[in-house]
C-alpha cells in the first residue's frame, strides 16, 4: 500500500550581531572592503528564516568567499573585535569570539541549515524532487561535519556548534538522505531485499542521532518534537526493514521467520508511539498505516502457517541483525561551497 512520505526536519539558522568592520584596522589589504562589509550586513538580518533558503545560501556563500579572498585576519589587528553568534536552537544563548575561524564555521553551519531547509521543502512525490532532496541533505551533512572539524581548535562555543551537536546533525542529515534513497528504491520497484537493506541503514543513522540527542550535552537542548521525530523515525525504518525483509521471506516460503520479523517490526512501532510524544501528526499517520499493513501481512502469514506449513516461529532474540546498505555520504567542503543558487548558477 502506498503511503505519503513522512515529514523531514530542517535546521534553523544561527543569528549574528552586527560587527563593526573598518578598512584601516581590519581589511587594509582587501580590494573589496565595502563588499565584505555589505555582505556581512546582508547575512546579519534579524529574521533569516523569513528569506528563501536558496537566497540565504547565496548570500552566506558570497560573504564566505569574500573573507577568503581578503587574506587578512581582522582579529589579528584589533583586540577589541569579536564576532557574536547565537545558538540556532536556543537563541537566547550566544558566544562571542575574536576568531575568524569561528566566524567562518558559523557561516558553514548556516550553509548546512539552508541546505536542510531547501531539502525539506522539496516535494518528494516525484523522482526529481526526492533526488534533489537527497542531494541537499548530503550537502547539509557535510556542512555540519565541517563545522565540527573547524571548531576543534576553538576553546568554547554554543552547544549547537559543539563536536557532539555537529556529529548528531551530520547523522540526522544522512538519515534523511538515506530515507530519500528508500523512497526512490520503493518507487523504482527495487526488490524487497534491497529495500530492506536501505531502510535498515536509515534506521541506524536515526538511532545514532537519537542516542546523541538524549545524552549530555544535547539532552534537553532541542525541542521535544525534534527528539520524538528522530525516535519515531528510527522505529519506523526498523519496522520498514522488517516488513520488506518479511516480504522477501514470504516469497521464499520461510514463513516462520516472516512471522517473527513482522512481529518485531510491529512491536517497535507500538512501543515507540507510546513514548514519542510531540512528533508531527503526519508521522503518526504514517506509523499507523505501516502498522496496519504489517498486521495484515502477519494475519495472512499466521493463517498460511496454521493451515499449510506448520513452521516453528523463532524467538525474536534468536533473529540475526538485518543487513544494511548505505547509499549516501557527507558532501566535501568544496562541494558545499560550490552549491548552486536557485537559478542553477554558482553564487558570485
Amino acid at each position: 500500500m502506498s503511503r505519503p512520505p513522512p515529514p523531514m526536519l530542517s535546521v534553523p539558522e544561527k543569528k549574528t550581531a552586527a560587527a563593526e568592520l573598518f578598512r584601516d584596522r581590519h581589511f587594509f589589504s582587501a580590494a573589496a572592503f565595502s563588499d565584505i562589509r555589505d555582505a556581512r550586513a546582508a547575512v546579519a538580518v534579524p529574521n533569516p528564516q523569513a528569506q528563501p533558503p536558496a537566497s540565504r545560501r547565496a548570500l552566506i556563500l558570497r560573504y564566505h568567499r569574500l573573507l577568503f579572498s581578503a587574506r587578512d585576519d581582522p582579529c589579528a589587528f584589533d583586540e577589541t573585535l569579536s564576532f557574536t553568534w547565537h545558538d540556532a536552537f536556543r537563541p537566547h544563548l550566544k558566544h562571542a569570539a575574536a576568531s575568524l575561524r569561528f566566524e567562518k564555521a558559523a557561516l558553514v553551519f548556516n550553509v548546512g541549515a539552508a541546505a536542510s531547509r531547501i531539502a525539506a521543502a522539496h516535494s518528494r512525490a516525484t523522482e526529481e524532487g526526492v533526488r534533489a532532496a537527497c542531494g541537499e541533505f548530503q550537502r547539509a551533512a557535510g556542512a555540519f561535519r565541517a563545522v565540527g572539524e573547524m571548531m576543534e581548535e576553538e576553546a568554547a562555543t554554543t552547544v549547537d556548534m559543539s563536536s557532539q551537536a555537529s556529529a548528531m546533525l551530520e547523522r540526522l542529515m544522512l538519515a534523511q538522505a538515506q530515507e530519500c534513497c528508500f523512497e526512490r528504491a520503493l518507487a523504482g520497484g527495487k526488490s524487497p531485499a534491497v529495500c530492506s537493506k536501505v531502510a535498515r541503514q536509515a534506521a541506524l543513522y536515526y538511532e545514532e542521532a537519537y542516542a546523541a540527542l538524549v545524552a549530555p550535552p544535547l539532552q534537553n537542548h532541542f525541542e521535544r518534537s525534534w527528539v520524538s521525530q528522530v525516535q519515531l523515525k528510527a522505529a519506523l525504518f526498523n519496522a520498514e526493514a522488517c516488513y520488506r525483509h518479511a516480504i522477501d521471506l514470504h516469497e521464499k516460503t520461510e514463513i516462520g521467520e516472516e512471522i517473527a520479523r513482522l512481529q518485531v517490526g510491529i512491536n517497535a512501532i507500538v512501543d515507540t508511539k507510546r513514548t514519542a510524544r510531540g512528533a508531527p501528526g503526519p508521522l503518526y499517520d504514517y506509523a499507523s498505516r505501516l502498522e496496519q499493513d504489517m498486521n495484515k501481512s502477519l494475519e495472512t502469514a499466521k493463517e498460511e502457517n496454521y493451515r499449510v506449513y506448520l513452521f516453528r516461529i523463532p524467538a525474536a532474540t534468536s533473529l540475526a541483525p538485518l543487513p544494511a546498505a548505505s547509499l549516501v555520504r557527507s558532501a566535501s567542503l568544496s562541494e558545499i561551497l560550490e552549491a548552486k543558487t536557485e537559478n542553477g548558477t554558482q553564487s558570485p
Side-chain angles (χ1 to χ4, degrees):
M1 181 182 294
S2 177
R3 294 180 292 272
M8 299 288 200
L9 286 168
S10 62
V11 178
E13 273 192 41
K14 295 172 68 66
K15 295 180 181 179
T16 183
E20 292 292 330
L21 300 177
F22 301 96
R23 183 192 298 273
D24 58 348
R25 288 204 307 235
H26 302 141
F27 291 100
F28 41 79
S29 70
F33 168 74
S34 60
D35 289 340
I36 294 175
R37 182 189 57 203
D38 294 345
R40 194 183 199 284
V43 168
V45 294
N47 187 15
Q49 299 294 111
Q51 296 180 350
S55 299
R56 286 295 301 168
R57 179 164 64 183
L59 290 171
I60 297 164
L61 288 175
R62 182 171 186 272
Y63 175 45
H64 190 275
R65 289 174 184 139
L66 286 168
L67 285 181
F68 268 97
S69 68
R71 294 187 303 278
D72 294 324
D73 182 349
C75 300
F77 308 112
D78 185 353
E79 295 180 354
T80 66
L81 175 66
S82 66
F83 299 104
T84 301
W85 289 86
H86 295 256
D87 190 292
F89 303 96
R90 292 281 187 262
H92 65 283
L93 302 175
K94 61 184 179 180
H95 177 68
S99 166
L100 193 61
R101 175 181 289 271
F102 173 60
E103 174 88 339
K104 291 176 180 177
L107 292 173
V108 173
F109 182 102
N110 279 356
V111 170
S116 75
R117 289 174 59 202
I118 293 169
H122 275 296
S123 170
R124 305 197 318 278
T126 65
E127 164 69 15
E128 181 181 358
V130 74
R131 184 189 294 271
C134 185
E136 291 293 353
F137 280 131
Q138 290 176 87
R139 291 187 188 94
F144 295 125
R145 182 186 63 184
V147 170
E149 294 170 351
M150 295 171 74
M151 293 301 292
E152 287 178 353
E153 298 180 14
E154 295 294 318
T157 184
T158 45
V159 172
D160 61 339
M161 294 179 70
S162 65
S163 59
Q164 296 90 341
S166 298
M168 184 280 294
L169 289 171
E170 180 189 8
R171 303 322 273 181
L172 176 57
M173 295 300 111
L174 288 175
Q176 297 189 141
Q178 183 79 8
E179 182 176 342
C180 291
C181 292
F182 174 73
E183 293 169 359
R184 289 181 63 193
L186 284 183
K190 299 298 183 182
S191 70
V194 168
C195 292
S196 175
K197 292 177 182 179
V198 178
R200 176 59 183 148
Q201 185 60 57
L204 291 174
Y205 284 140
Y206 277 119
E207 286 173 356
E208 291 172 357
Y210 177 69
L213 281 167
V214 296
L218 307 188
Q219 188 179 28
N220 301 322
H221 189 77
F222 292 79
E223 292 183 2
R224 179 61 193 172
S225 60
W226 255 63
V227 180
S228 294
Q229 181 159 336
V230 175
Q231 180 188 10
L232 189 52
K233 283 284 188 83
L236 286 179
F237 281 95
N238 272 318
E240 285 279 16
C242 289
Y243 184 36
R244 306 298 162 180
H245 189 67
I247 294 172
D248 185 56
L249 291 170
H250 192 88
E251 293 174 355
K252 298 174 180 177
T253 325
E254 298 179 19
I255 308 302
E257 184 180 345
E258 176 195 0
I259 292 171
R261 294 288 185 184
L262 287 169
Q263 194 61 68
V264 167
I266 292 168
N267 290 343
I269 296 175
V270 172
D271 292 344
T272 306
K273 282 170 64 178
R274 190 179 300 119
T275 58
R277 302 297 182 187
L283 190 56
Y284 286 112
D285 294 340
Y286 183 98
S288 296
R289 292 180 184 181
L290 176 57
E291 184 183 351
Q292 290 172 6
D293 292 347
M294 295 183 75
N295 272 314
K296 289 179 182 178
S297 295
L298 180 60
E299 291 173 9
T300 300
K302 283 183 173 180
E303 180 69 16
E304 290 182 3
N305 195 48
Y306 175 76
R307 292 184 177 276
V308 181
Y309 300 110
L310 301 177
F311 287 128
R312 183 183 64 85
I313 312 302
T317 53
S318 70
L319 298 174
L322 290 176
S326 178
L327 302 180
V328 298
R329 64 174 179 84
S330 299
S332 67
L333 186 57
S334 61
E335 290 172 314
I336 297 159
L337 299 180
E338 292 172 1
K340 307 292 195 234
T341 68
E342 56 190 342
N343 293 323
T345 58
Q346 290 187 1
S347 304

